[in-house]
Amino acid sequence: MAIREVLRMGDPRLLERSHAVEVFDTPLLHTLIDDMEDTMHALNGAGLAAPQIGVGLRVVIFGGFRSPRYPDAEEIPYTVLVNPVIEPVSGEMEAGWEGCLSVPGMRGLVHRHLRLRYTGFDQYGKPIDRTVSDFHARVVQHECDHLDGILYPMRIRDLRDFGFHDVLFPDEPDSDD
Ligand code: NI
């Protein structure tokens, strides 16, 4: 287990499309997920995608936190999601502020599907099938975007809604992610 370096925006590896995991329950996959978990917790992230630590596999983790960054968010169960597929349940979109460990210190207003179904597998190959909304849905969309080389600033509709966290939200606790 180890805290890994998180790649920052500008690194071309963050723009690549990641590959599906073909074999589950392997030492390689377990080590990857342990490292992702250590890294996410060390940096107080809401989630982390494998490409953010330079591994081009379709693996994301999220939830299970009481992050000072998101004190008002409903609790999301800690989830390991491999080879995810997202399917919006309705056409309804909602704007919300996002940050990313690969874009430290910044926040941007991003429109996301309010409600969606996601399917995939855990690290043992056990199927996951959930229908979720609000912040849970937002986190899943943000993390899965990383697997297709999409960073949240690429989804900001009006770049006036992009800025430094401590300038946009001076009353919130400091955060470098
Ligand atoms: Ni991110």
Side-chain angles (χ1 to χ4, degrees):
M1 303 220 300
I3 297 168
R4 302 271 293 265
E5 185 194 350
V6 175
L7 306 183
R8 288 177 303 144
M9 186 169 67
D11 191 307
R13 287 172 288 179
L14 289 170
L15 303 177
E16 288 172 8
R17 187 179 158 82
S18 294
H19 301 280
V21 171
E22 289 175 1
V23 188
F24 293 88
D25 200 12
T26 60
L28 194 76
L29 189 56
H30 293 308
T31 300
L32 169 64
I33 288 161
D34 284 347
D35 286 357
M36 288 172 66
E37 193 177 336
D38 287 350
T39 304
M40 181 177 82
H41 287 153
L43 299 174
N44 270 327
L48 191 72
Q52 290 182 276
I53 59 167
V55 177
L57 289 172
R58 302 186 80 77
V59 177
V60 302
I61 64 171
F62 53 84
F65 54 85
R66 284 256 173 237
S67 171
R69 279 178 56 192
Y70 304 100
D72 302 325
E74 76 270 31
E75 199 166 354
I76 302 172
Y78 173 68
T79 302
V80 173
L81 187 59
V82 180
N83 298 347
V85 175
I86 287 178
E87 184 188 325
V89 169
S90 71
E92 203 177 346
M93 307 287 282
E94 187 178 63
W97 291 94
E98 296 187 13
C100 180
L101 297 174
S102 294
V103 193
M106 309 297 287
R107 290 290 182 277
L109 195 64
V110 182
H111 289 73
R112 299 284 190 188
H113 294 287
L114 184 62
R115 197 167 161 75
L116 56 84
R117 177 184 178 195
Y118 66 89
T119 56
F121 303 89
D122 71 8
Q123 62 269 50
Y124 303 98
K126 187 179 158 223
I128 294 170
D129 184 342
R130 292 178 183 155
T131 298
V132 301
S133 57
D134 302 305
F135 188 63
H136 191 155
R138 176 171 299 278
V139 168
V140 171
Q141 289 168 90
H142 177 114
E143 296 312 327
C144 291
D145 262 356
H146 279 294
L147 306 180
D148 293 325
I150 298 167
L151 300 168
Y152 82 81
M154 296 155 72
R155 294 212 184 265
I156 298 171
R157 291 182 180 178
D158 182 340
L159 280 172
R160 285 173 291 195
D161 296 324
F162 185 43
F164 291 94
H165 177 245
D166 59 349
V167 177
L168 284 163
F169 307 107
D171 297 332
E172 284 186 10
D174 264 0
S175 164
D176 50 352
D177 51 65

